[in-house]
Amino acid sequence: MLLTTFMTAIAVLVLLIVMMSVKIVSQGYRYTIERFGRFVRVAEPGLNLVTPFVYRVGRKINMMEQVVDIPGQEIITKDNAMVAVDGVVFFQVIDAAKAAYEVSDLYSALMALSTTNLRTVMGSMDLDETLSKRDEINARLLAVVDHATEPWGVKITRVELKDIRPPQDIVNAMTRQMKAEREKRASILESEGMRQSEILRAEGEKQARILQAEGQKEAAFRDAEARERSAMAEANATKSVSDAIEGGSSQAINYFIAQKYVEALGKFATSPNSKTILFPVEATQLMGTLGGIGELAREAFGDSVPRPIAAPKVKGSGVPETK
């Protein structure tokens, strides 16, 4: 009975020692192994055997990417404007031993370091730059914080500003400024549109005047050409009459005088300033001239043209009547 009890105790003790020796490390974590309080190695994910009472697990380090919130804080910019800022820092432990033994509290250290550098970076910029250059602020913070945490075995992957809140009076002033700027741009665009419209209208009027001048030039050219042709026809007619007179024919000169006579009468009749025309006229001379026209026509076309029948004189009038 005593032997059985002893053997049972030994078995239980061995089982406890084995259970204490087996350490299972989860994926994404690293365990630091210490011997009498001194770091000796890092336990990888999986099954690890550790001699109890001599070796023990020191720190359990999360090797996955993690995030630290930067609490909201008031920051005074270069132009003495106060803004409220908060953000986040993404980091990953790449050396478990350094993260465990080079810094006491990794999360608190990262938060304090990010906060102080955020104040430094944004304090060197104007308010307009802090609102418009977030990417530059993020890049500068990333470079500074990553360089500072390198001895801790930590890699800073991203730094992002979540919100930048200026005071309400500055927000109102910025709103009025933006409204004034938009109204200015609208006025400029409207003026530019009116200017372009005037330019196009002036171009249109210029082209219209050019076309009108070209039309007048063409009309004047054609009018001059018509007058030239009329003058040539008149000259030819005059030459023909002169040739006929030189040939001893008096009918041509009668035709020419009758034509001018009829044209003069037509101008008197169509004058807008004359309603009643008083002029001396010898009807017998007019009839003689018309007779001369007939003789000229018979000479031109032969004797086929019939002679006009002379009308008897009307008593007391002195004007022959024709039928």
Side-chain angles (χ1 to χ4, degrees):
M1 232 3 235
L2 183 62
L3 182 60
T4 303
T5 303
F6 180 73
M7 293 300 294
T8 304
I10 293 297
V12 171
L13 182 60
V14 171
L15 180 61
L16 289 175
I17 292 173
V18 171
M19 292 179 61
M20 293 176 63
S21 301
V22 175
K23 301 297 181 181
I24 299 176
V25 181
S26 302
Q27 182 66 35
Y29 286 85
R30 300 291 189 274
Y31 292 175
T32 60
I33 305 300
E34 301 174 352
R35 183 177 60 186
F36 299 117
R38 182 180 179 181
F39 169 75
V40 291
R41 67 185 179 89
V42 176
E44 299 293 331
L47 182 63
N48 294 268
L49 296 177
V50 179
T51 303
F53 308 113
V54 179
Y55 296 93
R56 70 182 183 89
V57 175
R59 302 285 182 87
K60 298 179 180 181
I61 306 300
N62 186 352
M63 304 296 291
M64 295 178 287
E65 187 173 4
Q66 304 172 69
V67 59
V68 174
D69 286 329
I70 301 176
Q73 52 188 313
E74 301 287 338
I75 298 176
I76 299 176
T77 61
K78 185 178 180 180
D79 52 353
N80 297 324
M82 184 171 291
V83 293
V85 184
D86 56 359
V88 291
V89 177
F90 296 87
F91 71 96
Q92 186 176 10
V93 177
I94 57 176
D95 192 334
K98 290 183 179 180
Y101 300 108
E102 294 295 335
V103 61
S104 175
D105 188 348
L106 181 61
Y107 294 96
S108 298
L110 282 175
M111 186 179 298
L113 184 64
S114 302
T115 301
T116 54
N117 282 280
L118 180 61
R119 288 179 178 273
T120 302
V121 172
M122 296 191 65
S124 63
M125 304 175 69
D126 295 332
L127 177 62
D128 293 338
E129 294 179 338
T130 60
L131 296 176
S132 61
K133 298 183 178 180
R134 288 197 178 194
D135 293 338
E136 181 179 345
I137 296 174
N138 295 337
R140 292 176 61 180
L141 280 175
L142 177 62
V144 173
V145 177
D146 184 55
H147 178 72
T149 57
E150 186 177 357
W152 301 346
V154 175
K155 175 65 178 176
I156 305 298
T157 56
R158 291 192 304 276
V159 178
E160 299 289 343
L161 297 180
K162 291 195 299 185
D163 193 14
I164 300 177
R165 298 179 299 276
Q168 190 60 39
D169 56 344
I170 296 179
V171 173
N172 295 334
M174 291 172 63
T175 302
R176 292 194 298 270
Q177 180 183 1
M178 180 180 63
K179 182 178 179 181
E181 187 67 24
R182 289 184 176 179
E183 291 178 352
K184 176 184 175 182
R185 287 200 299 267
S187 300
I188 292 174
L189 291 176
E190 184 178 359
S191 301
E192 187 67 23
M194 294 177 63
R195 174 176 172 271
Q196 192 67 23
S197 176
E198 292 295 332
I199 291 174
L200 293 177
R201 185 181 296 110
E203 284 291 334
E205 292 177 355
K206 175 183 175 182
Q207 293 296 329
R209 290 194 184 98
I210 291 174
L211 294 176
Q212 184 178 4
E214 290 180 354
Q216 292 177 354
K217 176 182 177 182
E218 184 68 19
F221 176 75
R222 295 187 178 277
D223 189 19
E225 185 178 3
R227 288 197 302 270
E228 181 181 359
R229 291 182 178 179
S230 177
M232 291 177 63
E234 186 72 19
N236 291 333
T238 305
K239 186 176 182 301
S240 299
V241 172
S242 299
D243 293 341
I245 293 172
E246 290 179 0
S249 176
S250 62
Q251 302 299 328
I253 192 60
N254 292 333
Y255 167 75
F256 187 74
I257 294 173
Q259 182 183 8
K260 296 298 181 180
Y261 191 81
V262 172
E263 289 179 358
L265 289 179
K267 290 180 180 180
F268 276 115
T270 57
S271 175
N273 299 323
S274 298
K275 301 301 181 181
T276 302
I277 303 173
L278 299 175
F279 56 88
V281 59
E282 293 292 339
T284 56
Q285 294 179 3
L286 177 59
M287 296 305 296
T289 302
L290 294 178
I293 295 174
E295 292 294 337
L296 182 62
R298 280 193 296 274
E299 290 180 1
F301 298 103
D303 294 335
S304 61
V305 179
R307 293 179 177 272
I309 300 173
K313 292 185 179 181
V314 180
K315 292 181 180 181
S317 63
V319 179
E321 183 178 350
T322 60
K323 293 184 180 180

